Amino acid sequence: MTINEIQDEIVEEFSLFEDWADKYEYIIDVGKKLPPLPAQYKTEENIIKGCQSQVWLHASLNSEGKVIFEGDSDAIIVRGLIGLLIRVLSNQKPEDIAKANIYFIDKVGMSGHLAQTRSNGLASMVKQMKLYGLAYQVKQEVK
Amino acid sequence: METLTPVFDVAAIRQDFPILNQTIHGKPLVYFDNAATSQKPLPVIQALNEYYRSYNANIHRGIHTLAEKATAQYEATRETVRQFINAAYREEIIFTRGSTEAINLVAATFGRQNVQAGDEVIISTMEHHSNIVPWQMLCEEKGATLKVIPITDEGEIILEEYEKLLSERTKVVALVYVSNSLGTINPVKEVIDLAHKYGAKVLLDGAQATVHLDIDVQALDCDFYVLSSHKMYGPTGVGALYGKRELLEAMPPYQGGGEMIKEVSFEKTTYNELPYKFEAGTPNIADTVAFKAAIDYINKIGKSVIAEYEHELLAYGTEALSQIEGLRIIGQAREKISVISFVIKGIHHQDVGIILDTQGIAVRTGHHCTQPMMHRFGIPGTSRASFAMYNTKEEIDRLVQGLHKVKKMFA
Ligand SMILES: Cc1ncc(COP(=O)(O)O)c(C=O)c1O
């Protein structure tokens, strides 16, 4: 699926929820299910500076030339958000990630509510993922 | 016999705070973030409004009517602050942007003048960053040393350890009167008296204390005292520094500009007298004027009545929260103001804060600008509920319900 197809799918899923409690239940569930990041990747350089919780993001390129993201946080809701972003942006081509327009956060109504971005680092996460995309894209072009 | 105790009518008080009357995510707002900033009663909002509607003018130099009225109101606040903390002279009250600026002022003037290489400055483990960083900067610049009073697991400073830190090298002791993240009321009188034995000067950070306790800077004999209006039901952007007159007189000015001068030529400038020497430029006139309305409001209701009520809330909240399994209160000092900081086993404070917010409950989560202290307790942060005069036991019940919901969601 393309990045936008996945985003639309998430927007559709969220449209089923009546209120914020349900949306959070869902995000928390994603957070609980996200596999923990292996300890060797929980390094200082993989930390994304959010204000309240620690967030780690690790990227690698697989044999098909797609970027694989893994991430973790010590707070569950943020883990859930990482899980959603990974679902959207992981296993995609570097150039697609670099130019992606992330709109699902707005569309599910999270931006007003959840993404007091400075406190949960959501914006920094998106930015960092796109930067990885760009970095791998440049690397491939150089080769 | 008739009792003379004034009645404390929280329902009537809540009417004075229009902001409280709203719903957040469909639920009535419960505002428990008062240690960060308190809400403002109508008289404060009206004072701001009236200032801009009827007598906005630049103060002190004007001779027209509006300027005189603005000046009179501005100076009236100074007198009100003086009385509120029982300073001896009005010129001992310097207006600043808040506690942070007041501490920086002292570090940059008194500190630079009196702290030299090899000297020592003492603070405590529970300081707000505002009362750490300015002293750290000073010590770095001067080659002086910053010493830190340790605290117990309950969140009280250890006086015996403090005594060991004191010496002839100690020039400044800067201590928080009431901790914003623990609620601890520190034994400041003892701390001050001990410091004075060694000739050290003492700055009290009264950012939290001023609204909750009776403050008497003369009885305390502190050398400097700082406060913030916005934590006292007043506007943001204004606060005050109290300093003993002879100290303020000997200190060099902080910032240069208009208002703080007597005469300026390109060869030499002579400085204005106290308090204007430290008030360069056009100050925050509107908020300073409205600050008086906040203090008047507190005085009208009665500080001791408020303190008694807040204490009741603290006792009720402490009892209620202690019943929640896995919840640990951080800060169990014997003397506390109405602040309850807590952690819940296995749940990150950010998750606690987000879910409480969905229920209309505002608490603060994080390190509360006291990172070294969080380090001392080995935690990244806490959730903090801090109560003001307009909070109620029913609201605390809502917090308890909210926390049960949090526990269920993250189980
Ligand atoms: C204990 C303490 N000191 C200093 C400050 C800084 O006050 P302000 O931000 O008003 O300058 C605060 C505010 O949070 C505080 O709680």
Side-chain angles (χ1 to χ4, degrees):
Chain A
M1 277 208 285
T2 67
I3 288 174
N4 285 0
E5 280 165 2
I6 301 171
Q7 294 199 82
D8 293 340
E9 195 178 73
I10 293 176
V11 173
E12 172 118 8
E13 285 166 17
F14 267 82
S15 70
L16 301 174
F17 300 131
E18 306 233 316
D19 61 11
W20 268 103
D22 295 340
K23 291 184 193 179
Y24 276 115
E25 295 275 7
Y26 179 85
I27 296 168
I28 291 166
D29 199 47
V30 174
K32 284 178 182 165
K33 287 185 181 139
L34 184 73
L37 188 67
Q40 78 258 30
Y41 296 139
K42 284 194 171 178
T43 56
E44 188 63 32
E45 70 221 51
N46 280 341
I47 285 185
I48 296 178
K49 296 272 181 258
C51 182
Q52 298 243 322
S53 48
Q54 300 249 44
V55 175
W56 295 269
L57 181 70
H58 177 258
S60 55
L61 207 61
N62 72 6
S63 51
E64 300 164 37
K66 289 179 171 172
V67 182
I68 303 299
F69 287 113
E70 296 165 275
D72 210 337
S73 170
D74 48 358
I76 297 283
I77 292 173
V78 173
R79 269 183 134 250
L81 297 176
I82 299 170
L84 290 175
L85 283 172
I86 287 178
R87 181 168 150 200
V88 172
L89 290 174
S90 191
N91 206 17
Q92 301 285 349
K93 293 206 218 70
E95 59 270 30
D96 292 342
I97 296 168
K99 65 169 201 287
N101 168 26
I102 300 298
Y103 56 77
F104 78 97
I105 298 168
D106 274 336
K107 277 217 172 162
V108 302
M110 262 192 273
S111 53
H113 197 282
L114 230 197
Q116 295 114 355
T117 30
R118 238 161 56 94
S119 63
N120 64 32
L122 196 58
S124 328
M125 265 189 277
V126 173
K127 194 168 146 200
Q128 190 59 36
M129 290 170 111
K130 292 178 72 167
L131 277 175
Y132 271 121
L134 191 65
Y136 282 120
Q137 183 186 357
V138 172
K139 221 164 160 184
Q140 281 178 337
E141 281 166 6
V142 171
K143 268 195 205 156
Chain B
M1 208 175 80
E2 238 180 292
T3 60
L4 289 172
T5 342
V7 265
F8 185 83
D9 183 354
V10 70
I13 286 171
R14 290 181 70 84
Q15 295 296 316
D16 290 336
F17 290 83
I19 202 171
L20 299 176
N21 184 22
Q22 66 174 300
T23 56
I24 302 284
H25 308 303
K27 318 260 166 51
L29 166 66
V30 173
Y31 187 77
F32 279 165
D33 195 15
N34 296 288
T37 198
S38 52
Q39 300 302 348
K40 322 305 173 197
L42 280 170
V44 171
I45 300 166
Q46 279 154 2
L48 271 173
N49 197 332
E50 197 200 326
Y51 170 77
Y52 283 121
R53 276 172 169 272
S54 60
Y55 60 96
N56 169 52
N58 210 333
I59 53 171
H60 293 138
R61 283 143 306 185
I63 51 153
H64 57 81
T65 307
L66 292 190
E68 282 192 354
K69 170 139 196 225
T71 305
Q73 293 298 112
Y74 183 84
E75 291 303 324
T77 302
R78 199 188 308 276
E79 173 57 21
T80 302
V81 172
R82 183 198 71 72
Q83 285 173 18
F84 200 64
I85 63 172
N86 196 32
Y89 310 101
R90 59 174 283 283
E91 62 267 31
E92 292 179 325
I93 306 297
I94 315 286
F95 287 123
T96 63
R97 280 193 296 130
S99 301
T100 303
E101 190 180 49
I103 297 168
N104 275 280
L105 189 161
V106 176
T109 60
F110 179 85
R112 280 226 183 95
Q113 200 174 41
N114 294 285
V115 177
Q116 307 304 339
D119 287 343
E120 292 172 358
V121 173
I122 297 179
I123 60 171
S124 85
T125 307
M126 65 175 88
E127 297 313 313
H128 189 278
H129 295 163
S130 299
N131 202 27
I132 302 175
V133 184
W135 303 112
Q136 230 163 18
M137 288 161 65
L138 174 70
C139 287
E140 212 153 278
E141 178 186 319
K142 294 290 190 167
T145 310
L146 195 65
K147 300 266 176 173
V148 183
I149 310 170
I151 60 174
T152 64
D153 289 343
E154 286 70 43
E156 297 178 340
I157 59 165
I158 306 172
L159 277 173
E160 303 79 68
E161 296 297 322
Y162 164 61
E163 276 198 75
K164 287 186 209 155
L165 296 178
L166 282 165
S167 76
E168 259 66 50
R169 290 185 300 276
T170 312
K171 289 295 174 302
V172 178
V173 176
L175 182 72
V176 70
Y177 195 162
V178 166
S179 154
N180 63 310
S181 39
L182 299 172
T184 309
I185 303 172
N186 279 316
V188 291
K189 182 64 185 147
E190 282 97 317
V191 168
I192 292 164
D193 290 347
L194 282 166
H196 285 168
K197 279 196 195 160
Y198 292 87
K201 302 298 181 209
V202 181
L203 176 142
L204 288 186
D205 173 356
Q208 296 292 335
T210 316
V211 71
H212 296 290
L213 309 177
D214 263 324
I215 307 296
D216 184 337
V217 290
Q218 292 182 78
L220 287 171
D221 197 25
C222 57
D223 301 285
F224 300 104
Y225 187 95
V226 309
L227 57 89
S228 294
S229 149
H230 71 96
K231 295 185 198 281
M232 305 166 58
Y233 308 105
T236 55
V238 56
L241 164 68
Y242 156 82
K244 285 183 182 162
R245 190 166 61 177
E246 65 273 19
L247 294 174
L248 293 175
E249 262 162 7
M251 279 152 57
Y254 180 42
Q255 292 174 330
E259 197 77 37
M260 54 78 71
I261 50 87
K262 192 175 270 165
E263 222 158 331
V264 177
S265 73
F266 287 117
E267 289 70 42
K268 180 158 179 62
T269 294
T270 50
Y271 303 123
N272 204 339
E273 62 216 22
L274 290 176
Y276 313 107
K277 179 170 98 178
F278 294 106
E279 294 180 0
T282 301
N284 185 349
I285 306 167
D287 292 310
T288 306
V289 164
F291 182 21
K292 178 175 186 298
I295 297 179
D296 290 345
Y297 186 83
I298 296 170
N299 285 336
K300 193 186 86 192
I301 293 169
K303 225 176 176 184
S304 58
V305 185
I306 298 170
E308 201 176 305
Y309 178 71
E310 286 175 345
H311 206 79
E312 220 176 288
L313 292 179
L314 174 67
Y316 185 82
T318 304
E319 171 65 24
L321 263 61
S322 304
Q323 305 294 322
I324 298 174
E325 215 190 296
L327 184 147
R328 179 160 67 102
I329 293 177
I330 305 291
Q332 314 233 27
R334 283 157 292 182
E335 298 289 329
K336 269 185 80 171
I337 52 132
S338 48
V339 163
I340 306 178
S341 237
F342 58 89
V343 292
I344 301 179
K345 200 166 178 232
I347 308 178
H348 195 276
H349 51 77
Q350 187 184 27
D351 289 328
V352 174
I354 292 174
I355 297 306
L356 287 179
D357 179 61
T358 64
Q359 299 170 65
I361 304 168
V363 297
R364 185 133 304 235
T365 60
H367 53 61
H368 317 297
C369 293
T370 55
Q371 273 180 320
M373 199 195 69
M374 293 300 159
H375 209 82
R376 155 69 177 80
F377 283 102
I379 49 178
T382 70
S383 305
R384 180 188 71 188
S386 50
F387 311 131
M389 63 162 107
Y390 42 67
N391 290 127
T392 65
K393 289 182 184 168
E394 293 71 49
E395 290 180 310
I396 295 175
D397 293 342
R398 290 228 355 242
L399 172 65
V400 171
Q401 284 162 20
L403 289 172
H404 281 301
K405 175 144 191 198
V406 167
K407 281 189 61 182
K408 214 167 95 205
M409 283 179 90
F410 293 98

